[in-house]
Amino acid sequence: MHLFWRWALCFFCSVYAYSQTGAYKSFTVKYTTEKIVLDGALDDYAWEIAESANEFWQYFPVDSIQAEKKTEIKMLYDDTNLYIGIRVNTAGRNYAIESLKRDFRAGNSDNITLLFDTFNDANNAFLFGINPYGVRREGLVSGGGLDLRGFTISWDVKWKGESKIHDDSYTSEMVIPLTSFKFREGETKWRFNSYRFDTQSNEQSTWTRIPQNQNIYGLTFMGDMIFEKPLGRSRTPMAIIPYLATGTFNDRENQNQENRLKVGADAKLSIGNSMNLDVTVNPDFSQVEVDDQVTNLSRFEVGLPEKRQFFIDNNDLFADFGGARDANPFFSRRIGIAKDTADNTIENPILGGVRLSGKLNPKFRLGFFNIHTQKDEANEIPAFNNTMLALQHVVFARSNIGFYFINRVAFGSDEYITRDERFNRVLGVDYNLISVDNLWNGRFYLHRSFQPDISGKDLSSGASLNYNSRFYGGFTDWTYIGENFRSDLGFIRRDDIVKGTTGFSRTFWPVDSYVNNHRFQAVAQQIWSPSLDMQLTDYTFRGSWEARFRDQSQAEVQWRSEYTYLFDSFDPTGSDGVELPADTDYYYNTIRLGYGSDRRRILSFRGETTIGDFYNGQRLSIEAGATLRIQPKAFLSMQVNYDQITLPEPYSSADIWLIVPRIEITFSRSLFWSTLIQYSNQRNNLGINTRLQWRFAPLSDLFLVYTDNYYVDTFSPKVRSINLKFTYWLNI
């Protein structure tokens, strides 16, 4: 027994040491007074005295050797900026570039990305990236980078970068104002890592070694960048971002045409080194990309991502409560939309709002917003005031406890304001577990809602635990939502449920094989109804095999067995035909095959097909997509979804199509044109959205946006709009 405990102690110490590689890999960021010319050439004298972050580790195709192609990162700083010089060795000049548009996705092109954990908490980080053509991107990582929910490149901030291409390398220079970061005054160290995609050598590498079962942007495995002298107070200038928008809106079905002129502004003010205050007055989101249409064969609402800049910064502080799929009490897209008298979703303009978020100290985060929406008497929509307070405190090494309070109140005493619309309040507490080595993570939460004349069965609670090692993975996730729990600003797919999901996976890592890794996974999910004596309402068992190959292509085979009990009548085709009756149940099985080609190629494709039972009928689904790069100016893509639903008479059968071509042309790094066409016969809509964007100054844009919609069954016009919007970023 004594020998066992000695072995166990050595094992856990080694795991801890491996996860805290920042203590063993570091470099010094020297203070400079030298002038650095931003040209991407690295020929300034200052770079000769700068220390390097080098000796990158390979992440893919294997994660146990040094990278074949060397990468070197140097940093300097003064009282105003952080200066970064990068040299990336390559096999040649045949780079894969998506386009010249800012905020590119990294995985299918050549680029390098830097992660800065400025509070050394392994939970949140700032992200900056650049490619061989000098195209930049910036983003935020939250929740430790456990999954894509904690990764966004929608965040914008002012900084500069240039690159220069050589025969067997490219060099980049970046100048990032210290005001672009949030950090504690007097700080001497940030946690740091960098990851790089090299398409010519088919290599992905990181400065600090990361095992492949962990995300390449995860914050567990990082090193240290040590400042030569402590950082001072960083005074971010107040930014005023006024806009002027004009356009015409034509509802051709109802013969209603309006000419619109809107003026408004956003303001950004830093409070200390760590807090942001955002103010918006009469915001306009006409330049925001339209939502992607989806084919929905389920009985429930589909959640779509937030794209509005006002809600992006520190969004995890507000949105990361409860269960993301079933019981999220705050979903920012609820603000600014509403239902009209015909139960159609329409825009409900925001009059103004304030949003305060950031860190009070290294372990304590605060978030608060108050947003007021406009009254729409014609559509019987009252004015609402929406408020949320969120607090989060780090406990142990990386875990945290969060508390929130949401208050939504209707203003006015109009007859159409029903009693249950008067107010909705939600109060909750969450505990988020992340182990030091990222082997375990989980969540435990308890929420309660308050609304008029409702008492009891108004709780939402859940517990989840995930295990992620190199060879084995497993999770269990349990959710309870009472039939009276309600969050008007949340995403609650259904209530009156107890839901349990448990999964197990085994991953294999072949040596000297065309297969990089492959995995077998089994997942079982059951849903019961508490109000019906825990009657089983849904059951799903899923078994799958997934493989990733050395050329980065992927394949999947999946089998599903499902059971569904319908409480309400339902038309699975969404075609307004004869519905399946309520109080009936169905058993059905499907099999799915999928393949995705190497995304590094000029032309890449993916496809999957699902075939099998569907309620009391049959289903055949085919999904295909392809992308074509005409480097570096154009990026073209096509998505086609086909669902053939065949049900016995007298129930509805349908052929459902979703066809989405997308064209992106980048004339330069400041002039972009994109067109998105979406054809959906399930939604009876053909939508065209085309947008020209000219970034004439940092974060200052001129947008010209044209949107058109048609009914597809009659090809008759619905709604057309043309908008011209001017925004300008002013520092005061």
Side-chain angles (χ1 to χ4, degrees):
M1 181 64 70
H2 178 66
L3 181 62
F4 169 79
W5 286 113
R6 288 180 62 187
W7 177 89
L9 179 62
C10 291
F11 173 78
F12 285 112
C13 287
S14 65
V15 169
Y16 181 81
Y18 182 75
S19 66
Q20 295 294 313
T21 52
Y24 301 98
K25 194 166 190 180
S26 65
F27 67 99
T28 299
V29 184
K30 293 187 176 182
Y31 184 85
T32 185
T33 57
E34 298 286 336
K35 182 179 179 181
I36 295 178
V37 178
L38 181 67
D39 56 9
L42 298 184
D43 54 3
D44 296 294
Y45 169 75
W47 294 124
E48 296 181 11
I49 64 171
E51 289 192 14
S52 299
N54 49 30
E55 297 183 352
F56 272 51
W57 284 87
Q58 200 173 94
Y59 174 80
F60 179 90
V62 297
D63 57 9
S64 57
I65 64 174
Q66 296 277 291
E68 293 183 5
K69 297 299 180 181
K70 293 184 178 181
T71 304
E72 183 181 36
I73 301 173
K74 294 185 175 183
M75 295 192 198
L76 299 163
Y77 75 109
D78 57 23
D79 295 330
T80 306
N81 298 309
L82 178 67
Y83 302 95
I84 303 169
I86 303 170
R87 182 178 300 278
V88 173
N89 289 349
T90 63
R93 303 166 64 104
N94 187 27
Y95 299 112
I97 302 297
E98 185 171 299
S99 70
L100 296 176
K101 188 176 181 180
R102 189 166 174 159
D103 290 339
F104 54 88
R105 284 289 180 182
N108 62 349
S109 61
D110 286 273
N111 58 85
I112 186 167
T113 297
L114 288 72
L115 293 166
F116 301 91
D117 176 4
T118 60
F119 282 94
N120 304 295
D121 61 8
N123 276 291
N124 297 85
F126 297 91
L127 176 154
F128 295 87
I130 197 165
N131 71 14
Y133 284 70
V135 182
R136 291 167 287 157
R137 70 179 192 141
E138 63 277 296
L140 301 172
V141 178
S142 62
L146 295 180
D147 53 48
L148 281 173
R149 290 176 300 170
F151 184 97
T152 178
I153 54 172
S154 297
W155 176 67
D156 282 332
V157 71
K158 279 187 175 182
W159 64 285
K160 298 177 181 179
E162 293 291 344
S163 294
K164 190 177 183 63
I165 295 175
H166 310 279
D167 289 338
D168 57 356
S169 67
Y170 68 89
T171 55
S172 300
E173 288 182 312
M174 305 162 70
V175 180
I176 307 175
L178 290 173
T179 55
S180 298
F181 303 97
K182 298 299 174 187
F183 55 88
R184 182 177 57 178
E185 183 181 358
E187 189 61 82
T188 59
K189 175 178 73 72
W190 292 352
R191 297 175 75 245
F192 168 78
N193 201 13
S194 174
Y195 60 89
R196 172 193 167 191
F197 292 91
D198 180 354
T199 66
Q200 297 175 81
S201 300
N202 191 26
E203 183 178 62
Q204 300 171 17
S205 58
T206 61
W207 179 56
T208 299
R209 181 181 170 191
I210 299 178
Q212 276 193 51
N213 63 294
Q214 302 286 340
N215 288 329
I216 197 170
Y217 54 84
L219 306 183
T220 302
F221 305 92
M222 303 184 79
D224 290 338
M225 47 184 289
I226 301 169
F227 294 98
E228 191 174 44
K229 69 176 188 177
L231 295 171
R233 175 176 292 275
S234 178
R235 181 188 178 277
T236 302
M238 180 178 179
I240 303 293
I241 312 157
Y243 81 84
L244 172 67
T246 183
T248 178
F249 172 84
N250 186 3
D251 183 345
R252 292 171 288 179
E253 183 182 27
N254 298 313
Q255 297 183 346
N256 176 31
Q257 182 169 345
E258 299 177 21
N259 294 319
R260 299 173 175 176
L261 177 65
K262 291 185 68 175
V263 178
D266 291 341
K268 293 180 177 292
L269 176 66
S270 288
I271 301 176
N273 278 30
S274 310
M275 297 289 293
N276 295 326
L277 177 64
D278 294 283
V279 181
T280 188
V281 178
N282 196 31
D284 174 82
F285 304 111
S286 60
Q287 87 285 1
V288 175
E289 293 182 358
V290 297
D291 289 325
D292 295 332
Q293 294 189 23
V294 297
T295 298
N296 187 5
L297 300 178
S298 75
R299 296 163 286 160
F300 309 110
E301 181 183 15
V302 176
L304 297 171
E306 178 62 80
K307 299 181 180 181
R308 297 170 295 181
Q309 185 65 216
F310 179 77
F311 294 98
I312 296 298
D313 196 11
N314 285 314
N315 187 52
D316 68 293
L317 184 55
F318 301 96
D320 197 22
F321 286 97
R325 181 173 176 80
D326 296 289
N328 189 344
F330 177 69
F331 182 54
S332 60
R333 289 178 58 94
R334 297 291 186 210
I335 301 176
I337 63 171
K339 297 284 189 178
D340 63 13
T341 54
D343 203 37
N344 297 313
T345 299
I346 63 172
E347 180 186 1
N348 181 213
I350 296 173
L351 295 177
V354 296
R355 191 172 180 271
L356 176 68
S357 62
K359 288 211 173 192
L360 296 175
N361 60 49
K363 291 191 174 183
F364 192 28
R365 298 175 75 198
L366 165 69
F368 172 81
F369 71 73
N370 185 275
I371 300 172
H372 202 78
T373 57
Q374 181 175 297
K375 176 180 178 180
D376 185 349
E377 192 163 357
N379 289 297
E380 299 185 356
I381 301 170
F384 282 101
N385 183 264
N386 308 276
T387 302
M388 182 173 182
L389 171 68
L391 303 171
Q392 188 184 92
H393 195 279
V394 174
V395 295
F396 307 117
R398 299 180 63 192
S399 304
N400 63 72
I401 294 176
F403 164 85
Y404 75 89
F405 174 67
I406 297 172
N407 185 36
R408 188 173 193 251
V409 180
F411 281 74
S413 56
D414 301 273
E415 293 181 356
Y416 57 78
I417 304 178
T418 61
R419 182 168 175 78
D420 66 347
E421 284 185 313
R422 292 293 176 186
F423 68 85
N424 172 245
R425 300 179 181 119
V426 192
L427 182 70
V429 60
D430 287 37
Y431 171 68
N432 298 296
L433 165 70
I434 308 178
S435 68
V436 172
D437 57 4
N438 223 31
L439 195 63
W440 295 93
N441 68 82
R443 174 168 300 183
F444 309 89
Y445 62 89
L446 177 64
H447 305 163
R448 183 182 179 185
S449 66
F450 305 85
Q451 48 266 344
D453 305 325
I454 296 294
S455 179
K457 301 180 180 178
D458 50 9
L459 295 178
S460 170
S461 61
S464 65
L465 189 64
N466 302 274
Y467 175 80
N468 178 22
S469 73
R470 185 175 183 84
F471 298 102
Y472 295 96
F475 73 93
T476 185
D477 188 354
W478 292 83
T479 301
Y480 164 74
I481 305 176
E483 61 181 306
N484 291 326
F485 180 81
R486 193 182 98 202
S487 180
D488 290 353
L489 293 183
F491 186 79
I492 313 296
R493 288 163 56 90
R494 57 193 296 192
D495 53 33
D496 187 30
I497 64 168
V498 172
K499 177 180 178 181
T501 308
T502 301
F504 172 81
S505 65
R506 172 67 163 95
T507 304
F508 299 86
W509 303 86
V511 178
D512 297 327
S513 170
Y514 179 67
V515 178
N516 178 264
N517 66 78
H518 63 102
R519 180 177 71 161
F520 292 92
Q521 184 179 48
V523 177
Q525 181 181 97
Q526 292 177 294
I527 301 176
W528 300 269
S529 173
S531 67
L532 296 176
D533 297 324
M534 297 301 290
Q535 176 182 335
L536 181 67
T537 67
D538 298 85
Y539 174 83
T540 301
F541 177 81
R542 182 174 76 246
S544 63
W545 173 79
E546 304 169 3
R548 185 180 185 187
F549 303 101
R550 289 290 180 114
D551 68 353
Q552 299 195 33
S553 61
Q554 301 179 61
E556 179 187 12
V557 179
Q558 183 186 105
W559 173 74
R560 295 172 65 102
S561 178
E562 299 184 71
Y563 165 78
T564 301
Y565 182 88
L566 291 181
F567 290 101
D568 302 304
S569 58
F570 171 61
D571 175 13
T573 68
S575 58
D576 297 325
V578 177
E579 297 181 332
L580 300 176
D583 300 318
T584 55
D585 57 0
Y586 304 88
Y587 297 86
Y588 43 104
N589 302 301
T590 56
I591 187 169
R592 185 178 77 187
L593 306 174
Y595 177 78
S597 72
D598 183 356
R599 294 186 302 153
R600 296 172 300 151
R601 305 305 179 192
I602 296 295
L603 176 64
S604 64
F605 64 91
R606 58 179 176 81
E608 66 178 47
T609 181
T610 303
I611 187 169
D613 308 321
F614 193 63
Y615 292 90
N616 61 344
Q618 299 291 314
R619 170 188 177 185
L620 170 64
S621 297
I622 299 173
E623 179 178 335
T627 61
L628 174 64
R629 295 197 308 267
I630 304 174
Q631 296 189 159
K633 298 291 188 179
F635 184 79
L636 314 177
S637 67
M638 171 67 80
Q639 174 189 343
V640 178
N641 290 19
Y642 170 69
D643 294 277
Q644 182 187 70
I645 308 299
T646 306
L647 304 181
E649 295 289 346
Y651 306 111
S652 301
S653 296
D655 293 314
I656 303 173
W657 289 91
L658 175 63
I659 303 174
V660 184
R662 185 191 299 265
I663 304 170
E664 294 186 358
I665 306 294
T666 52
F667 302 101
S668 68
R669 286 192 292 168
S670 59
L671 186 61
F672 322 115
W673 174 57
S674 62
T675 297
L676 175 66
I677 301 172
Q678 301 188 90
Y679 170 92
S680 172
N681 62 351
Q682 186 186 53
R683 295 174 176 266
N684 194 18
N685 189 75
L686 171 64
I688 303 170
N689 178 265
T690 185
R691 182 178 72 165
L692 183 67
Q693 177 185 358
W694 175 33
R695 176 149 285 186
F696 59 88
L699 298 184
S700 303
D701 300 279
L702 181 67
F703 294 95
L704 179 62
V705 184
Y706 170 79
T707 303
D708 210 348
N709 291 274
Y710 297 84
Y711 291 103
V712 300
D713 53 357
T714 61
F715 202 70
S716 56
K718 293 168 82 173
V719 175
R720 173 181 293 165
S721 67
I722 302 175
N723 294 281
L724 180 67
K725 182 175 180 180
F726 171 86
T727 66
Y728 190 72
W729 185 296
L730 296 168
N731 285 334
I732 298 178

